[in-house]
Amino acid sequence: MLQENGMETAYDVSLHVCANPVCSCGIVDMTLTPVVVDREAGRRLPDRIVPIDVVRKKVADKGEVKKRGPARDFAKVLLKQLDGDNFQFLQKMYLAAKKDQTDKARPNEIEAFFEYDKIEEDGLLTAYNDILPYAYQLVVTMNGETCLVLDHYCLRNGCSCTDALLYVFPVDHGKVAGTREIGSYFVNYRKKKWWMGDETRGKKEFIDLKKARQCIEEQLPSIYTLMKERHARLTQIYNHCRGKQHGIENSRPAQTSTISRNEPCPCGSGKKYKKCCLRK
């Protein structure tokens, strides 16, 4: 029910988010369909579409509500009647929809931004969740703190390494707590070998390598498989985007040599690799 001009109107509500899995606009389009028909006018009352920014908790500045008029007035009325629980529900729905889009999207359906020159010339590593912000996040508890583990990979054309760089940051109320880094570890996920860089070894604020490895392996028992699949999928996305950006037809294939034919395909389709991307 919605209070409007001193009257209550019942609406059926459907929610929609944009179809781009890497878009972080935070907008949910609410389509409100009146339940009651205007019998006197002999016609069905029109639907209302209100874009809500669930992050900033305001009406998004897009579509008809961008202009002054009935659509914007209606959107403001609706916004005033949304409480904290409503926004919490909208936020959860938005995140769930984005995660589902990310899980189902094939690499050649994802248009992402990469720093191509730095990756190819300087060997810049790329974080998985920087490219796929709504993908599964690696979260563990270290020293009594909930921590986010950001996994970075080399995507340089021609490189066949199986290394990852893991940065560890404490999380405060669901958000990464600034730049307070408490760990930085290199991992060869094929050999299950861990080490620290010379510039980070011995830092007092960093968690000991042995302890960090134990925490991650115990709390994320599939971590090595996850890193291999995430590296392969990120490489496929990079090859697709780089090919479109530079007109390259023969970018190196994703690291298929390390993926068994009968393992789940790293593209996230749920099929075995031999029945999915191996055919491409």
Side-chain angles (χ1 to χ4, degrees), residues 14-196:
S14 58
L15 306 174
H16 307 275
V17 302
C18 69
N20 184 354
V22 300
C23 174
S24 55
C25 64
I27 296 175
V28 173
D29 285 328
M30 300 182 66
T31 300
L32 296 92
T33 303
V35 175
V36 179
V37 174
D38 186 352
R39 294 176 181 174
E40 293 182 3
R43 59 182 175 81
R44 181 180 175 277
L45 294 173
D47 292 352
R48 307 270 197 167
I49 300 177
V50 180
I52 299 294
D53 186 327
V54 300
V55 178
R56 298 175 180 83
K57 299 182 180 180
K58 67 176 187 177
V59 176
D61 198 20
K62 60 174 279 192
E64 288 297 315
V65 303
K66 189 175 183 179
K67 303 175 290 186
R68 291 184 179 180
R72 189 168 186 83
D73 293 341
F74 179 85
K76 289 181 177 180
V77 171
L78 172 63
L79 184 67
K80 288 181 180 179
Q81 296 182 56
L82 295 178
D83 58 21
D85 290 340
N86 295 140
F87 275 110
Q88 187 175 35
F89 171 78
L90 290 173
Q91 290 168 355
K92 288 182 177 179
M93 175 268 172
Y94 176 83
L95 292 174
K98 284 296 180 182
K99 183 181 184 303
D100 184 61
Q101 289 176 358
T102 300
D103 292 343
K104 291 179 178 178
R106 293 181 175 274
N108 60 2
E109 297 173 338
I110 296 175
E111 303 300 331
F113 170 77
F114 293 91
E115 297 187 72
Y116 300 104
D117 291 342
K118 291 183 179 180
I119 290 171
E120 295 297 332
E121 297 173 11
D122 304 328
L124 176 71
L125 302 182
T126 304
Y128 189 78
N129 287 111
D130 279 353
I131 302 303
L132 299 172
Y134 300 104
Y136 173 71
Q137 293 186 327
L138 308 180
V139 179
V140 297
T141 299
M142 291 189 187
N143 285 353
E145 292 186 287
T146 300
C147 297
L148 180 64
V149 181
L150 299 177
D151 48 331
H152 295 65
Y153 303 96
C154 173
L155 305 178
R156 182 161 51 186
N157 194 43
C159 178
S160 59
C161 74
T162 55
D163 296 340
L165 175 58
L166 307 181
Y167 289 106
V168 181
F169 293 90
V171 176
D172 183 21
H173 300 296
K175 297 181 179 180
V176 179
T179 57
R180 187 165 66 90
E181 182 185 343
I182 60 172
S184 174
Y185 316 98
F186 289 97
V187 183
N188 184 306
Y189 54 78
R190 184 174 66 85
K191 297 180 180 179
K192 298 182 180 180
K193 179 182 177 182
W194 294 59
W195 71 98
M196 296 180 71

Side-chain angles (χ1 to χ4, degrees), residues 8 142 151 227 233:
E8 283 192 344
M142 291 189 187
D151 48 331
M227 285 191 284
R233 190 178 191 207

